[in-house]
Amino acid sequence: MLTVNAYAAPSATGDLVPTTIERRDVGPRDVLIEIKYAGICHSDIHTVRGDWGPQQYPLAPGHEIAGIVTEVGAEVTKHKVGDRVGVGCMVNSCRECANCKKGEEQYCLAGMTGTYGAVDRDGTITQGGYTTHVVVTEDFVVRIPDSLDLDVAAPLLCAGITTYSPLRHWGAGPGKKVAVVGLGGLGHMAVKQAHAMGADVTVLSQSLKKMEDGLRLGADAYFATSDPATFEALAGTFDLIINTVSAPIDISAYLQLLALDGALVNVGAPAEPLPVNAFALIMGRRSFAGSAIGGIRETQEMLDFCAEHQLGAEIEVIPADKINEAYERVLASDVRYRFVIDTATLS
């Protein structure tokens, strides 16, 4: 076993604290990664605070991992020592179900193995990227192109793929009108990606305070949802709406903004239910859908797309001892647009 430095939550209510955790020995198909940067996702906060169910503690979160390969198992063929690599929200799946065979491991029928807080194949609980090293089977490690710096690439492993996957699946591109609800860690990547795909992009945010940023990132228009006139002016406008907000919103009101056959796709994951008025769907043949991350193949496609268009995340790099402060700032929407931990500060 390899003992590594980490920041972990001791309970659902306590601050994250410095500690050590153990990583398994490198197996024949495993890759040992020295983590350089780890993004802070809203999901980290939900998970360690028990919002999505009870956890086993101590728990080191983090599923936006960028680093360097330092050791590979004897049978590894996809990666070599010195490679720049990333690990996202999952580290394994059954590999045998219909969804896994389609390359949609995130929808594994047996349940994919999350990067942290999940039961690993050896029966232990997985620990995430707020650590100095991680051991992952080679099939769940992706290549980070040389043209992307590791710090701006880290958030792409969750925020980037979470928005890229539905944009691709629902056909964002030239001639399509796409709205992004919320301009945060996910929303800012959705704007960048939809713009690069050639879509007409509108940001729907509570206020206009981030309007300058939204337009700089690639939005063609920006509206405040706190203004009732917004919902009147934009009724029946959009082919696709990506909702990135991890808090309850009036889904039925947003459905009214869709054109005929439009889709509202939820990628934010609030703990509370999101009620929907059936007539908001029926009158316009609209769809209300959800989307998780992408599979490994699509995650690599996303990284290559972002490298081609130079779409790194907008980040604020922090030392490990600022993690708890960063959590409070995330909850207060006081970050533009993703915190990234410099894991050298864990040593």
Side-chain angles (χ1 to χ4, degrees):
M1 301 292 285
L2 175 66
T3 300
V4 303
N5 292 333
Y7 250 67
S11 69
T13 57
D15 285 348
L16 277 71
V17 296
T19 187
T20 58
I21 63 167
E22 289 189 335
R23 297 297 193 187
R24 69 173 183 265
D25 292 330
V26 177
R29 300 290 302 277
D30 285 337
V31 174
L32 173 63
I33 301 166
E34 180 183 355
I35 300 172
K36 296 296 187 180
Y37 297 97
I40 292 178
C41 176
H42 206 144
S43 299
D44 301 346
I45 303 173
H46 280 305
T47 303
V48 300
R49 296 188 174 180
D51 293 342
W52 293 341
Q55 302 295 321
Q56 289 193 33
Y57 300 95
L59 179 61
H63 55 206
E64 298 180 338
I65 299 169
I68 305 294
V69 176
T70 57
E71 184 182 344
V72 297
E75 299 175 14
V76 170
T77 61
K78 296 181 179 180
H79 308 284
K80 64 183 185 301
V81 172
D83 282 357
R84 307 165 80 251
V85 296
V87 177
C89 300
M90 55 185 171
V91 292
N92 219 328
S93 71
C94 79
R95 324 284 188 94
E96 298 176 352
C97 71
N99 293 348
C100 284
K101 288 180 177 179
K102 290 178 183 177
E104 303 278 12
E105 301 93 345
Q106 73 277 30
Y107 301 121
C108 175
L109 294 175
M112 60 87 169
T113 303
T115 303
Y116 60 85
V119 180
D120 209 345
R121 59 188 181 185
D122 60 2
T124 61
I125 302 300
T126 55
Q127 301 285 354
Y130 296 10
T131 59
T132 56
H133 296 77
V134 65
V135 178
V136 182
T137 181
E138 66 169 335
D139 292 336
F140 285 77
V141 177
V142 290
R143 176 186 53 83
I144 295 178
D146 290 341
S147 61
L148 285 175
D149 291 337
L150 292 179
D151 54 357
V152 301
L156 302 181
L157 277 304
C158 174
I161 186 58
T162 296
T163 52
Y164 181 89
S165 187
L167 287 169
R168 278 294 190 219
H169 183 79
W170 274 273
K176 292 294 182 74
K177 290 185 177 294
V178 175
V180 176
V181 182
L183 192 68
L186 274 68
H188 91 284
M189 286 308 309
V191 170
K192 285 188 173 190
Q193 292 167 340
H195 174 73
M197 291 173 185
D200 182 283
V201 185
T202 296
V203 173
L204 302 174
S205 186
Q206 282 187 312
S207 72
L208 299 178
K209 67 179 182 179
K210 296 180 182 178
M211 182 173 182
E212 184 177 344
D213 276 4
L215 298 177
R216 173 179 60 82
L217 294 170
D220 298 283
Y222 198 110
F223 289 85
T225 56
S226 57
D227 182 355
T230 291
F231 290 88
E232 297 176 11
L234 299 179
T237 295
F238 301 108
D239 302 294
L240 175 63
I241 298 175
I242 305 292
N243 176 27
T244 71
V245 177
S246 289
I249 65 170
D250 186 349
I251 293 296
S252 296
Y254 284 85
L255 286 169
Q256 301 293 341
L257 303 182
L258 291 171
L260 180 66
D261 292 326
L264 192 167
V265 182
N266 227 70
V267 296
E272 305 87 349
L274 295 171
V276 177
N277 184 319
F279 284 98
L281 295 171
I282 293 169
M283 303 308 292
R285 204 161 54 200
R286 305 179 181 105
S287 300
F288 178 39
S291 178
I293 53 171
I296 297 300
R297 181 177 61 229
E298 188 174 46
T299 301
Q300 188 64 63
E301 176 188 307
M302 175 276 304
L303 285 169
D304 294 339
F305 177 86
C306 287
E308 177 186 353
H309 296 278
Q310 283 299 291
L311 304 182
E314 308 280 310
I315 63 171
E316 181 178 334
V317 178
I318 62 167
D321 62 7
K322 297 293 185 183
I323 291 173
N324 294 301
E325 177 184 326
Y327 273 25
E328 296 309 314
R329 288 180 57 192
V330 168
L331 295 173
S333 299
D334 180 27
V335 55
R336 297 194 181 184
Y337 282 91
R338 205 64 155 184
F339 285 116
V340 173
I341 303 161
D342 178 356
T343 56
T345 61
L346 289 166
S347 301

